[in-house]
DNA sequence: CCGATTACTTCGAGACTCGAAGTACCCCGG
DNA sequence: CCGGGGTACTTCGAGTCTCGAAGTAATCGG
């Protein structure tokens, strides 16, 4: 009878997400970010290859028009830049500006400080990441 | 240096939430539910005392006008009912109808079946619930 | 009874999301 | 070379969600 346990796990996961979002909200507002723009900002890791719009939409589980809308806000604020992909000029590649990298760091820093997860020990945290990874890993493919 | 681990945990938590929402989306649509109405429906446990609007808004991390909006949708679809609290007639108490309980069960059932967490063993799940509980428990008070 | 506070609703504006339609580009067969 | 089909993205328009401000009804303390 693991059904009850799964239900509890889903609920706890959702609750953690809501609590974290709630606590970070004020910090996002200081940077004039909304949940949607902050999410996109977080998803663009400057240490990785600049993603295309399509790639990024996949990461954010949103569709192309929505991502265009969100990216317009980030570019208008000078946090991100779009440039055509030389290899395929239909595609546009998204990268953060220096200001974008600064704001992204600040958002992550604040989230790490405010999330209820900050209470857990290093050991517990690694166990948690391992468990979540076990659930997510096999399914991260396209279908 | 647990900072990186917390960041990974927050990201994994967020990712799991998005994947679960994404997979359940079609089931919600069949029941003519949106994420907001489904969330409210989930939060009203028929086995517990019927919550007031204020209590429910707290659970959902939303404000009063928003909850009124969402509850109107649920009551219009015949899934929930509002009745004045006899003890304090300013307050309204929310309960699910029989149809509401049916739909709620169906949504939870589908979520449990579709969430990536369903892949984990019973042992892993209990560990996960325990870890999440450890993070959430001390902070579930009002402030 | 009266003023202050609380719970909720209504109203109006802003933000987010998405389907449909349009543009620019790649690729392939002829 | 040229046309047709498919892909990546944007624009447009409509619908949904969220929230602050203002209004109503009820409780509480004096």
């Amino acid at each position: 009878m693991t059904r009850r346990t799964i239900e509890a796990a889903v609920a706890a996961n959702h609750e953690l997400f809501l609590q974290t979002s709630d606590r970070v909200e004020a910090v996002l507002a200081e940077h004039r970010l909304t949940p949607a723009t902050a999410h996109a900002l977080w998803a663009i890791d400057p240490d990785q290859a600049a993603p295309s719009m399509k790639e990024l939409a996949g990461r954010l589980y949103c569709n192309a028009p929505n991502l265009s809308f969100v990216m317009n806000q980030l570019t208008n604020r000078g946090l991100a830049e779009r440039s055509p992909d030389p290899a395929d000029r239909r595609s546009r590649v998204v990268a953060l500006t220096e200001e974008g990298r600064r704001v992204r760091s600040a958002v992550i820093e604040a989230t790490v400080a405010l999330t209820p997860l900050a209470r857990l020990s290093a050991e517990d945290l690694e166990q948690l990441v391992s468990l979540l990874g076990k659930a997510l890993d096999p399914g991260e493919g396209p279908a």
Side-chain angles (χ1 to χ4, degrees), chain A:
Chain A
M1 189 52 175
T2 63
R3 193 196 146 291
R4 276 280 166 200
T5 315
I6 299 182
E7 180 180 337
V10 171
N13 183 69
H14 197 159
E15 175 70 16
L16 175 59
F17 171 67
L18 291 175
Q19 272 199 28
T20 302
S21 303
D22 186 57
R23 296 183 185 191
V24 174
E25 189 182 24
V27 178
L28 297 187
E30 285 174 22
H31 292 286
R32 313 242 312 277
L33 292 173
T34 64
T37 50
H39 187 197
L41 195 62
W42 188 307
I44 305 173
D45 184 345
D47 295 337
Q48 293 183 1
S52 67
M53 295 290 281
K54 180 183 177 63
E55 157 69 15
L56 199 51
R59 286 186 206 171
L60 301 177
Y61 294 87
C62 74
N63 53 17
N66 190 10
L67 183 54
S68 280
F69 175 77
V70 172
M71 286 309 304
N72 279 342
Q73 296 180 160
L74 286 180
T75 55
N76 288 343
R77 295 211 197 299
L79 302 179
E81 283 173 342
R82 274 181 278 206
S83 47
D85 181 347
D88 181 348
R89 297 217 321 271
R90 289 172 301 180
S91 199
R92 275 149 191 75
V93 155
V94 179
L96 296 185
T97 62
E98 191 183 327
E99 173 70 1
R101 290 194 291 275
R102 256 198 304 274
V103 173
R104 180 177 184 271
S105 291
V107 167
I108 294 178
E109 208 61 49
T111 304
V112 165
L114 295 174
T115 178
L117 290 173
R119 259 197 290 268
L120 296 185
S121 69
E123 194 181 349
D124 281 349
L125 277 171
E126 288 180 21
Q127 214 168 33
L128 180 63
V129 171
S130 161
L131 286 170
L132 291 176
K134 212 185 285 190
L136 293 171
D137 260 2
E140 65 184 7

